[in-house]
Amino acid sequence: MTSAEVSKGPMLLTEQRGGVRILTLHRPAARNALTSHLIEALRRELAAADGDDRVDVVILTGADPAFCAGLDLRELGATGDNAARIAAADIPVGHPWRPLSKPVIGAINGAAITGGLELALACDFLIASERARFADTHARVGVLPGWGLTSRLPAAVGRGFARRMSLSGDFVDAATALRVGLVTEVVAHDQLLPTAMEVAVSVVGNDQNGVRTLLESYRRAEAHLLDPALAVEDATSRAWMAKFDPSAVAERRDAVIDRGRAQNRNAQRG
């Protein structure tokens, strides 16, 4: 793949710019909601980027208007296949993908909800558009997190604010996300990808052995707290899924979507 070459697929776009691989969730009509196929495609492309010597940094973003609305509720309510993909034999407990040896920058262009919030939290750090919104609606949908939210969210925003987000399901705007430490920067919407690229290029310009060793050191330093917390979440999620009824999600799907859209509109007007 040459510089600035783009390959298009039905669910995920990949682009290479110098040493930066850009992955774009691409189900805009469905707000980039996660089907089982999109989860597998994302894992596959991230693994490919990690093994590609031309890639030093990955940027993960979404096709407007959303970053990711979480699990696709149609599939969740019909078969639950996407929920079944949360855990995978080759993915460590509490991770949406096998952790990369290279930095992953989340460029949050719109709403990051529930599973989408978990994808964002799994990135090494986040840069947000002014249009970004964040919400944890697991409790509204009737599923539980399995990608580390109950550990990574309080680590980012603090214990109380994390519980407020999870128990209420309310949206948090970009300015509040910056204030509580969920994102590192908020920029004008049309400057999101250029800003993320500018930061990524700064990382690419450093000694890559040093970058990757330092990143691994950060992760090992966090592991004594993160790993036990991920194990607790995994056990809780597995017990919940053992009695999970997809039809219950199907019944409440429209109400969940309508409530979320109303809150997002109110947040945008505010």
Side-chain angles (χ1 to χ4, degrees):
M1 188 181 295
T2 60
S3 181
E5 179 183 348
V6 179
S7 63
K8 292 190 176 183
M11 297 172 293
L12 193 66
L13 306 182
T14 68
E15 179 180 356
Q16 187 77 19
R17 298 188 189 179
V20 182
R21 178 73 51 84
I22 303 170
L23 301 182
T24 304
L25 303 173
H26 193 248
R27 299 187 68 222
R31 298 171 66 79
N32 305 320
L34 297 167
T35 62
S36 53
H37 295 299
L38 180 52
I39 292 170
E40 293 300 330
L42 179 59
R43 287 171 170 167
R44 184 169 58 249
E45 289 298 334
L46 284 167
D50 201 34
D52 192 333
D53 289 341
R54 297 169 298 171
V55 179
D56 293 324
V57 179
V58 174
I59 294 174
L60 178 62
T61 192
D64 285 343
F67 174 72
C68 177
L71 293 182
D72 185 291
L73 293 183
R74 289 187 184 276
E75 183 175 341
L76 182 63
T79 66
D81 285 350
N82 47 0
R85 296 296 201 287
I86 290 173
D90 61 335
I91 306 294
V93 166
H95 296 268
W97 54 74
R98 177 169 290 281
L100 278 63
S101 63
K102 305 165 183 180
V104 179
I105 300 172
I108 312 303
N109 58 297
I113 306 170
T114 313
L117 176 58
E118 292 193 276
L119 294 189
L121 289 165
C123 297
D124 290 294
F125 59 88
L126 305 178
I127 299 169
S129 156
E130 61 196 347
R131 299 181 189 174
R133 301 289 185 270
F134 302 87
D136 177 23
T137 62
H138 281 98
R140 292 186 186 180
V141 177
V143 296
L144 291 188
W147 282 338
L149 181 139
T150 55
S151 177
R152 294 190 182 96
L153 186 59
V157 305
R159 172 178 174 272
F161 202 88
R163 293 185 182 191
R164 174 174 172 169
M165 287 183 68
S166 292
L167 300 181
S168 71
D170 290 343
F171 277 80
V172 171
D173 63 20
T176 303
L178 179 62
R179 177 176 60 80
V180 299
L182 182 55
V183 305
T184 62
E185 185 177 4
V186 176
V187 299
H189 187 71
D190 63 357
Q191 290 302 304
L192 177 62
L193 195 55
T195 301
M197 274 298 304
E198 183 179 356
V199 176
V201 168
S202 291
V203 177
V204 171
N206 293 333
D207 177 81
Q208 289 308 300
N209 286 332
V211 166
R212 294 169 197 176
T213 302
L214 183 57
L215 183 60
E216 177 62 17
S217 181
Y218 265 109
R219 292 174 178 165
R220 289 176 61 192
E222 295 166 352
H224 71 289
L225 293 175
L226 180 62
D227 289 352
L230 294 179
V232 169
E233 181 182 276
D234 181 64
T236 305
S237 180
R238 287 178 182 274
W240 182 268
M241 290 304 296
K243 56 183 181 181
F244 175 67
D245 179 7
S247 66
V249 174
E251 291 173 1
R252 67 172 68 97
R253 174 181 172 273
D254 289 342
V256 169
I257 292 173
D258 289 345
R259 184 178 175 186
R261 285 175 176 168
Q263 285 197 313
N264 197 25
R265 285 195 299 268
N266 292 336
Q268 288 175 336
R269 284 197 294 266

